[in-house]
């Protein structure tokens, strides 16, 4: 266990437990008022992005956060923790009562907000889905051109 304590995330008071395995982190936040638990995971790639973002955003004289320093990593992750609406998930634990804890490496969520699945028309794609979407759009274009000919 890397951290246990109270924390306000996205306007909700939580008893937060953070566990670590290598450079991967799991968050579990108990909301006693709503009688629910919110969970989230932060893979090593997001940890690195959060540290890089924190160092890029730092003001002159502020401490440089190091990836190999557990206290620095935990400080940055807790600072960028957000409670957002869940996207569809295959397990009840990952659904987290309709909301989940995420580490917002860019710090744009300001502690909470809607899920990425509810944000339409922004032209944003998940990295791992970009190639699939490109192929789908190309196939649709070819199909439409063949029907028109």
């Amino acid at each position: 266990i890397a951290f246990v304590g109270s924390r306000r995330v996205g306007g909700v008071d939580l008893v937060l437990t953070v566990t670590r395995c290598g450079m991967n982190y799991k968050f579990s936040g108990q909301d006693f008022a709503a009688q629910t638990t919110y969970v989230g995971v932060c893979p090593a790639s997001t940890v690195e992005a959060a540290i890089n973002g924190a160092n890029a955003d730092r003001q002159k004289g502020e401490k440089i956060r190091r990836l190999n320093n557990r206290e620095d990593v935990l400080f940055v992750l807790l600072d960028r923790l957000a409670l957002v609406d869940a996207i569809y998930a295959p397990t009840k634990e990952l659904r987290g009562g309709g909301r989940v804890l995420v580490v917002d490496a860019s710090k744009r969520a300001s502690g909470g907000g809607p899920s990425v699945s509810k944000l339409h028309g922004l032209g944003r794609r998940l990295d791992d889905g970009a190639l699939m979407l490109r192929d789908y759009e190309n196939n649709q274009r070819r199909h439409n051109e063949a029907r028109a000919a």
Side-chain angles (χ1 to χ4, degrees), residues 94-114:
L94 291 176
R95 285 186 208 114
R99 298 178 85 190
V100 293
L101 291 165
V102 298
V103 171
D104 179 21
S106 66
K107 207 172 182 180
R108 287 182 292 207
S110 300

Side-chain angles (χ1 to χ4, degrees), residues 51-138:
I51 291 289
N52 291 338
N55 285 329
D57 295 343
R58 74 184 180 87
Q59 301 296 317
K60 184 176 180 177
E62 285 183 353
K63 180 180 179 183
I64 295 175
R65 301 294 173 178
R66 306 276 183 208
L67 192 57
N68 61 354
N69 183 314
R70 292 182 191 169
E71 289 81 20
D72 284 352
V73 171
L74 191 58
F75 176 86
V76 170
L77 295 183
L78 291 177
D79 183 54
R80 293 166 184 261
L81 193 62
L83 184 62
V84 299
D85 297 334
I87 60 174
Y88 175 77
T91 66
K92 183 178 179 180
E93 180 185 32
L94 291 176
R95 285 186 208 114
R99 298 178 85 190
V100 293
L101 291 165
V102 298
V103 171
D104 179 21
S106 66
K107 207 172 182 180
R108 287 182 292 207
S110 300
S115 75
V116 68
S117 65
K118 294 183 181 176
L119 301 176
H120 299 288
L122 297 178
R124 296 188 302 188
R125 301 177 183 159
L126 298 175
D127 290 341
D128 57 353
L131 293 176
M132 179 199 62
L133 189 56
R134 182 200 66 199
D135 292 344
Y136 171 78
E137 289 170 348
N138 287 339

